[in-house]
């Protein structure tokens, strides 16, 4: 199973980015998928979950600004990030959440996860 995130980069405050996570070796259509992030020197912060019925949940710090979606035909999950703030700076990971329970303490607590993509919000 392989998850590959892309779409990170440097953006100014108030800007937008769209992250993608392409999954191979596993069919995501029946699984919950998570996004989580880790800022330098901080612990893992859960960002969002999307379930097989497209129900979504978000962490309080991103609610109203971030949107997760999925394209099962492409076995891909997305994270649209709008109105970015400096505190959103982190490495963003996507993960397969077979239990559908969302937040984990460590990225390795998920069933499968990607290598992460860096998002830096700075002027």
């Amino acid at each position: 199973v392989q998850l590959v995130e892309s779409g990170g980069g440097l953006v100014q405050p108030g800007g937008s980015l769209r992250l993608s996570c392409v999954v191979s070796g596993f069919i995501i259509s029946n699984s919950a998928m998570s996004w989580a992030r880790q800022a330098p020197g901080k612990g893992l912060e859960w960002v969002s979950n999307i379930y097989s019925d497209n129900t979504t949940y978000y962490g309080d710090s991103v609610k109203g600004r971030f949107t997760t979606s999925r394209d099962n035909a492409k076995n891909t999950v997305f994270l649209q990030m709008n109105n970015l703030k400096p505190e959103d700076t982190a490495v963003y990971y996507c993960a397969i959440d077979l239990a559908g329970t969302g937040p984990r303490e460590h990225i390795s607590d998920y069933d499968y996860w990607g290598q992460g993509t860096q998002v830096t919000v700075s002027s």
Side-chain angles (χ1 to χ4, degrees):
V1 179
Q2 188 175 21
L3 294 80
V4 179
E5 301 97 336
S6 62
L10 174 64
V11 63
Q12 291 186 341
S16 298
L17 284 175
R18 189 191 195 208
L19 305 184
S20 300
C21 173
V22 179
V23 181
S24 58
F26 180 88
I27 305 301
I28 70 168
S29 57
N30 292 324
S31 179
M33 298 295 295
S34 297
W35 286 96
R37 66 187 183 184
Q38 189 158 19
K42 295 189 176 181
L44 189 71
E45 180 185 9
W46 170 75
V47 172
S48 65
N49 257 41
I50 183 167
Y51 292 85
S52 57
D53 62 355
N54 286 324
T55 301
T56 56
Y57 296 91
Y58 299 93
D60 288 341
S61 63
V62 306
K63 202 172 295 182
R65 300 187 297 123
F66 290 13
T67 303
T68 187
S69 60
R70 61 197 299 160
D71 184 338
N72 291 333
K74 296 181 178 180
N75 226 36
T76 300
V77 182
F78 303 97
L79 184 67
Q80 177 67 44
M81 306 185 295
N82 298 329
N83 190 22
L84 283 160
K85 304 175 181 180
E87 52 263 42
D88 294 319
T89 295
V91 176
Y92 284 71
Y93 300 92
C94 70
I96 295 172
D97 181 10
L98 293 177
T101 55
R104 303 284 200 280
E105 186 171 1
H106 307 288
I107 193 63
S108 57
D109 293 333
Y110 285 97
D111 301 279
Y112 302 96
W113 61 95
Q115 83 289 348
T117 186
Q118 176 71 46
V119 171
T120 302
V121 185
S122 175
S123 54

